[in-house]
Amino acid sequence: MNKKIEKCAILMVSTDLTQKQIAEELNVSVQTIINWKKKDEFIEFKDDYQRKYLNNLAAKAIRTMDKLLTSDSDQVRYNAAKDILDRTGYKPTEKQNINMSGSLANPYEALTTEQLLKLAGDDDG
């Protein structure tokens, strides 16, 4: 693939440059970039580069989360800890719906017996 096309994809992923600025940097027209973006080879290269770019950022993101665990702010520490736990599979139990009287709400109370049996997998009734 053409080196300019590769550089275009790299600049799109790793910078905040606009298409116009990238076109100026590469000494091509904006229309040329629009045409490149339609090509399968461009799309595949850009997607591959983007995956690699994000992979390289993952370690930095993890270090940032680690640093946030020692923040002066209770809220920041809580959010960092919660995010880490959520992402590593330590999800809290699901929320329970409480009705106005303070007791647990029954999500099935409006269903008929037939609907309840269907939900339970007993289609014979």
Side-chain angles (χ1 to χ4, degrees), residues 63-95:
R63 288 191 303 274
T64 299
M65 292 298 289
D66 185 31
K67 289 176 187 173
L68 290 175
L69 290 171
T70 58
S71 169
D72 290 338
S73 165
D74 289 342
Q75 187 66 43
V76 170
R77 284 194 316 275
Y78 169 80
N79 287 336
K82 182 183 180 314
D83 191 50
I84 290 167
L85 291 172
D86 287 351
R87 290 172 188 275
T88 55
Y90 295 96
K91 298 273 185 190
T93 57
E94 290 191 28
K95 293 179 183 177

